[in-house]
Structures are given as C-alpha cells and as structure tokens.
Amino acid sequence: MLEILGNIFTLSIGAIFIENFVLCQFLGICPFLGVSKKVETASGMGFAVVFVMTVASAITWVVQYFLVKFGLDYLQTIAFILVIAVLVQFVEMFLQKAIPALYESLGIYLPLITTNCAVLGVAILNTTKFTEGPTFLYSTLYGFMAGVGFLVAIVLMAGIRERLETSDIPEFLKGMPITLITAGLMAMAFMGFSGLSF
C-alpha cells in the first residue's frame, strides 16, 4: 500500500512540475498562449482540459486494451482522437448551456482542445508509460495530474499577463513579444524541477 501511495505521489509531482506538458514538453502551446489573457478565462480553459485529459486517459486506456487484444493497435491515433473529440463536444455543450459567458470567452480555443497535442500526448504516453501495477489507476491519475499541470501553467501565465498590461513595457515588446519572453522564462523556471528525483 505504501509503495502504491509513493508511486502516486511521485507520478503527481512528475506530471505537474517535472514533465509539465506545456512548459517542459512544449505541447498545447496554442491554447496556452491564446487563452491566457485573463485568469478567469484561463482557469475555465484549464478546468476543461483537466476534465478532458482525465476522462480521455481512462477511456483511451480501455480502448487501447481492446485494440491490442484484437490486433488493431495501428488504429490507436484515430481511435484516441475520436474519443477526445466526443469528450470535447460534451464539454462544449455543457459550457454553452451552463456557463455561456465562459463559452463565449473561450471562443475557438474550446473546440481546439480536440486537436490539443497535450491531450493526445497524454493518451498515447499512457499506453507505453504504465506497464506495472494498477495501470488503469496510474493512467487516469497521470491524465488528471497532467491536466492540473496545464491548469497551473495557464493560470500562472494569465496572472503574469494581467500584471504586464499595467506595467511600463517598451513599445517594441508589447503584445506577443513579451508574452513569448514570459513563456520562455516560465519554461526555464519549470525546467529547474527536472533535477528532482524520488
């Protein structure tokens, strides 16, 4: 039991900080840069990605099991994209009915979760990463924690960008240049976690 708890702790810290999909593996940059102008919008997008990553990790683990069992594992990417697309459609319909303001503010970036390479990357990584222990649990937890890592990164970026709007920035750095510099500095900071080992 202690070994499983230790593995869960290590997996959680690794997914959020050491292997952060946005700032360390540079996946999911489009919504990260596009939706991180306001903390409220960024947190909405972050929670949507957490939900999609978690459920997609659980479902794609089961799909992969049956694909391998029937010798159809070459269909992995197509099957995973279909699962993610259905989940994103569900999230989109829910937000449109329940939180229309957030739905409007996310705009085109919400359907782009379907093609967010971070979501697909987690699903594919889960099929090779966990071969021992309670693999379904680890796979689902890794998806959840990777989503939390995305949420942390996008909310931090949104907070910094909100502060930058009131800062005295040279004219030639305003807009996307200072955003890219900020993202680079955040990535360097998160790369400092790569020295952690358990």
Side-chain angles (χ1 to χ4, degrees), residues 11-12 18 54 70 75 88 92 95 103 114 122 124 126 153 162 169 177 188:
L11 184 134
S12 301
I18 300 169
T54 305
F70 294 113
L75 295 174
V88 170
E92 195 171 355
L95 288 179
Y103 174 78
T114 303
V122 167
I124 291 175
N126 280 337
E162 282 185 357
I169 300 170
M188 287 172 57

Side-chain angles (χ1 to χ4, degrees), residues 2-189:
L2 283 176
E3 181 183 345
I4 290 177
L5 289 176
N7 288 344
I8 288 172
F9 177 75
T10 303
L11 184 134
S12 301
I13 297 298
I16 295 172
F17 298 109
I18 300 169
E19 301 171 7
N20 187 289
F21 273 81
V22 177
L23 297 174
C24 296
Q25 298 188 30
F26 308 111
L27 297 173
I29 299 294
C30 178
F32 174 71
L33 293 176
V35 185
S36 62
K37 292 181 182 175
K38 296 196 178 299
V39 172
E40 297 83 23
T41 309
S43 58
M45 173 62 107
F47 283 116
V49 169
V50 168
F51 174 79
V52 170
M53 275 192 182
T54 305
V55 178
S57 294
I59 294 174
T60 55
W61 188 89
V62 173
V63 168
Q64 178 68 13
Y65 173 79
F66 285 108
L67 287 176
V68 170
K69 186 174 183 177
F70 294 113
L72 300 171
D73 44 333
Y74 59 90
L75 295 174
Q76 178 191 57
T77 305
I78 295 169
F80 287 7
I81 289 174
L82 285 174
V83 167
I84 293 166
V86 168
L87 288 171
V88 170
Q89 197 64 34
F90 172 74
V91 169
E92 195 171 355
M93 289 186 305
F94 172 77
L95 288 179
Q96 191 173 15
K97 297 277 187 202
I99 315 170
L102 179 60
Y103 174 78
E104 290 296 323
S105 64
L106 290 176
I108 188 66
Y109 294 101
L110 186 58
L112 283 179
I113 295 175
T114 303
T115 57
N116 186 340
C117 51
V119 178
L120 184 60
V122 167
I124 291 175
L125 197 63
N126 280 337
T127 62
T128 58
K129 189 174 184 86
F130 304 110
T131 56
E132 298 176 3
T135 55
F136 178 77
L137 171 70
Y138 289 165
S139 176
T140 305
L141 183 68
Y142 186 74
F144 175 74
M145 290 303 172
V148 170
F150 182 88
L151 174 67
V152 166
I154 199 168
V155 168
L156 283 173
M157 182 65 160
I160 293 170
R161 286 179 79 177
E162 282 185 357
R163 295 284 305 260
L164 286 173
E165 284 185 17
T166 60
S167 299
D168 187 25
I169 300 170
E171 195 63 37
F172 68 94
L173 286 177
K174 287 186 177 177
M176 194 50 70
I178 195 69
T179 301
L180 293 175
I181 291 169
T182 303
L185 292 173
M186 286 177 63
M188 287 172 57

